Amino acid sequence: MNIIAGPCSLESRQQVLSTAKFLNSVGVNIFRGGIWKYRSDPNAFQGAGDDAKLWLQEIKDKYNMTIVTEVFNSYQMRLLDDVTDIWQIGARNAYNTDLLKYTNLFHKPVLYKRGLNMSLKDFCIHSDYIENKKIMCLRGIFSIFPQDQRFIPDISDIQRLREMTDEEICYDVSHAACERKYVRRIAQCAKIMGADSLMIEVHPNPDKALSDASQQLRFKEFRNLLKKLEETK
Ligand code: PEP
Ligand code: MN
């Protein structure tokens, strides 16, 4: 099964290079990280911005990695066209049909994430706006407790979605888990439920991460997870 991994946000050249070097050493060659972050809170870290493109180019040249990164406007897509292999459309843009249509101007796959409280039917219907190859990505949904902004895993929807689409299904373990102590078991469940690929956030020093600090795995934890996944049938 494919593993798509990397830090939540690209924070510095050093952080990107060390993560890519680590991933390369454990045989993961699909690198994902955000240059611009779509944050609910305007005071939260918004991403390193345009300069981070150079860091992606560097790891692509050095390790021949497949690059996945989130975009949410046409400027970003034009800027990153030459370095990105797969566009990520994030959960907060799942209903942005103009953006979905705009991906059709490029010849590359789209990793399309389920909206925060989007039905599977809506998810599939909206995905029809994407004409290129798509990877349907489940990522956990809002819990029923509105005061609690954490997500709950939509693990059983892997099987339901499988019955509704022939497209590749990815499970974003990290955003579904919210806390790193849950990542391993949820990843194993997602494999058992038949996900084609898993997305997992990994960071050289998660406690210092500028976004999603609680859920990103340390390198050692990530290596252990890969071992456990190999044993999971
Ligand atoms: C992400 O992938 O880092 C992210 C912000 O995901 P989502 O759009 O699913 O919240
Ligand atoms: Mn994240």
Side-chain angles (χ1 to χ4, degrees):
M1 96 184 305
N2 284 328
I3 305 288
I4 302 168
C8 178
S9 303
L10 308 188
E11 298 169 2
S12 68
R13 177 175 176 269
Q14 161 66 19
Q15 173 233 21
V16 173
L17 258 71
S18 68
T19 308
K21 184 176 177 196
F22 165 72
L23 290 174
N24 183 256
S25 76
V26 292
V28 172
N29 68 351
I30 311 179
F31 183 96
R32 187 213 72 115
I35 289 187
W36 302 277
K37 301 304 291 183
Y38 201 120
R39 308 303 292 276
S40 310
D41 177 356
N43 296 313
F45 176 61
Q46 303 287 310
D50 298 23
D51 292 349
K53 175 182 174 178
L54 298 175
W55 309 335
L56 285 182
Q57 190 64 59
E58 199 170 338
I59 60 169
K60 196 176 167 75
D61 294 345
K62 197 161 180 180
Y63 300 112
N64 195 25
M65 287 179 134
T66 298
I67 303 291
V68 185
T69 197
E70 179 174 357
V71 282
F72 37 84
N73 60 45
S74 55
Y75 165 76
Q76 295 170 348
M77 289 164 99
R78 287 195 308 272
L79 182 76
L80 294 186
D81 187 22
D82 54 340
V83 77
T84 307
D85 299 291
I86 302 175
W87 299 128
Q88 175 177 320
I89 301 295
R92 288 161 189 81
N93 276 306
Y95 289 99
N96 186 343
T97 53
D98 274 356
L99 184 63
L100 298 177
K101 278 191 277 188
Y102 198 76
T103 64
N104 298 329
L105 300 182
F106 302 84
H107 298 285
K108 51 186 107 209
V110 176
L111 186 142
Y112 176 46
K113 298 187 92 172
R114 181 186 197 176
L116 303 175
N117 47 15
M118 192 180 209
S119 70
L120 289 181
K121 193 169 160 219
D122 257 7
F123 187 33
C124 289
I125 290 174
H126 281 78
S127 77
D128 287 341
Y129 279 100
I130 303 167
E131 291 161 6
N132 291 308
K133 176 185 154 58
K134 47 204 141 181
I135 303 162
M136 303 290 285
C137 183
L138 298 172
R139 45 84 71 222
I141 48 177
F142 268 147
S143 88
I144 56 170
F145 305 107
Q147 76 278 19
D148 179 356
Q149 289 296 293
R150 290 185 311 159
F151 305 109
I152 46 173
D154 45 357
I155 282 279
S156 57
D157 284 347
I158 295 172
Q159 190 170 342
R160 288 202 181 88
L161 187 57
R162 180 69 75 205
E163 291 163 8
M164 297 166 75
T165 178
D166 294 328
E167 307 296 342
E168 186 176 326
I169 299 176
C170 175
Y171 198 77
D172 172 354
V173 180
S174 300
H175 292 87
C178 295
E179 289 179 62
R180 72 177 68 79
K181 65 183 172 188
Y182 301 129
V183 167
R184 177 169 67 73
R185 286 198 176 89
I186 294 173
Q188 289 177 292
C189 288
K191 181 172 181 188
I192 291 167
M193 291 300 284
D196 300 298
S197 53
L198 298 183
M199 181 188 283
I200 299 163
E201 289 187 338
V202 57
H203 190 289
N205 186 359
D207 294 327
K208 292 267 160 61
L210 299 178
S211 60
D212 287 347
S214 65
Q215 72 198 26
Q216 304 202 58
L217 297 188
R218 301 178 179 92
F219 290 173
K220 189 169 161 225
E221 292 161 337
F222 186 90
R223 197 181 290 112
N224 288 341
L225 170 62
L226 290 185
K227 214 158 81 209
K228 287 283 177 199
L229 279 172
E230 246 170 58
E231 296 161 5
T232 306
K233 300 290 170 224

